[in-house]
Amino acid sequence: MTSPAPAQALTQDELKAQVGRAALDYVVKGEIVGVGTGSTVNKFIDALATIKSEIRGAVSSSVASTERLQALGIPVFDSNEVEELAVYIDGADEIDGRGYMIKGGGAALTREKIVAGQSRRFVCIADSSKLVNTLGAFPLPVEVIPMATQRVIRQFARLGGQAQVRLKDGAPLVTDNGQHIIDVTGLRITDPLGFETEVNQWPGVITVGVFARQRASVCLLGTSSGVRTMRFG
Ligand code: 5RP
């Protein structure tokens, strides 16, 4: 007698594709959908293209997502043209059991927060490695105005964080908004709402990558045994 071979674990790429497809269930037919940024969202965009005739189009959170949407024939609207979106679909670098997230690994955090803020519902799509008990192990992205960079770095040092300017090809990365990103390690963010509120008030900070006010309403978590749905009320 031989026992059945154990089910093969899905790769991270397959887990991302799985949740990208699952997110289609949350897209409201006939409406404009908010679209985030990143490798998981790219899977969602590919899936969205299969139902593009059933939606009006998308509001996008980055130049990269806009280009992908348009290449697949999905109309992209400026966020100013749309008052409210039914749903925003985006990934995360970390998400906790309350729907609070760290985002910005793809440097699109400010536009992501803008589109999330105009959406009634945030559906986070992520593979299971993103689920954490406490936010902060992932280096926290913060978009800053370059003339304030060193001051903001010193302010994080007072909180016990070590911040570094994100580089691309040896020079500071420039975001879609023409600004810089610092990534902060050494933080343990136990009060995401308070932390987001405080850091967002520091002069020169455009957006901190903690999404507490714009937390997820739902998370579709890709696991080897299928998509786990977490709802956050
Ligand atoms: C981009 C983001 C992304 O949602 C986050 O970095 C997750 O990306 P990925 O799906 O590639 O893991 O916040 O700014």
Side-chain angles (χ1 to χ4, degrees):
M1 273 269 292
T2 54
S3 48
Q8 214 163 11
L10 296 177
T11 65
Q12 206 178 23
D13 200 56
E14 287 165 335
L15 294 177
K16 290 178 182 189
Q18 185 185 55
V19 292
R21 286 191 301 272
L24 290 183
D25 288 345
Y26 292 81
V27 173
V28 181
K29 305 285 156 63
E31 291 215 12
I32 299 170
V33 58
V35 175
T37 298
S39 56
T40 316
V41 164
N42 284 345
K43 304 290 189 191
F44 167 67
I45 294 174
D46 295 348
L48 190 64
T50 66
I51 60 156
K52 65 183 177 191
S53 60
E54 298 171 43
I55 58 166
R56 280 178 61 204
V59 170
S60 161
S61 63
S62 64
V63 172
S65 288
T66 296
E67 287 173 354
R68 195 176 188 97
L69 287 157
Q70 288 175 335
L72 291 167
I74 300 170
V76 176
F77 293 82
D78 188 292
S79 62
N80 287 300
E81 293 178 81
V82 184
E83 195 176 323
E84 194 179 58
L85 298 164
V87 67
Y88 176 63
I89 297 185
D90 198 359
D93 299 302
E94 285 185 347
I95 181 162
D96 73 10
R98 295 175 292 176
Y100 297 133
M101 296 168 284
I102 284 184
K103 293 183 44 54
L109 62 162
T110 300
R111 293 187 186 200
E112 291 173 342
K113 218 175 253 191
I114 291 169
V115 187
Q118 70 185 119
S119 304
R120 288 199 294 278
R121 204 171 195 201
F122 187 141
V123 176
C124 174
I125 49 176
D127 65 82
S128 51
S129 70
K130 308 291 183 68
L131 184 62
V132 298
N133 287 323
T134 306
L135 301 178
F138 187 90
L140 174 70
V142 185
E143 186 163 5
V144 293
I145 291 176
M147 72 173 283
T149 300
Q150 292 308 321
R151 184 168 189 270
V152 174
I153 286 176
R154 285 194 293 275
Q155 281 184 277
F156 274 115
R158 279 184 219 120
L159 297 183
Q162 298 85 47
Q164 282 195 328
V165 177
R166 194 182 299 182
L167 302 178
K168 188 179 178 195
D169 303 328
L173 175 146
V174 178
T175 67
D176 288 351
N177 311 309
Q179 309 300 335
H180 291 174
I181 298 280
I182 60 170
D183 293 300
V184 191
T185 55
L187 299 172
R188 209 169 158 270
I189 304 167
T190 53
D191 172 17
L193 263 175
F195 184 91
E196 179 184 32
T197 304
E198 180 187 338
V199 175
N200 269 346
Q201 291 180 29
W202 294 354
V205 168
I206 299 170
T207 315
V208 62
V210 169
F211 280 54
R213 293 184 183 280
Q214 272 74 43
R215 73 179 172 137
S217 338
V218 176
C219 178
L220 304 177
L221 203 66
T223 77
S224 280
S225 52
V227 177
R228 176 180 161 204
T229 303
M230 300 168 70
R231 296 180 200 282
F232 305 108

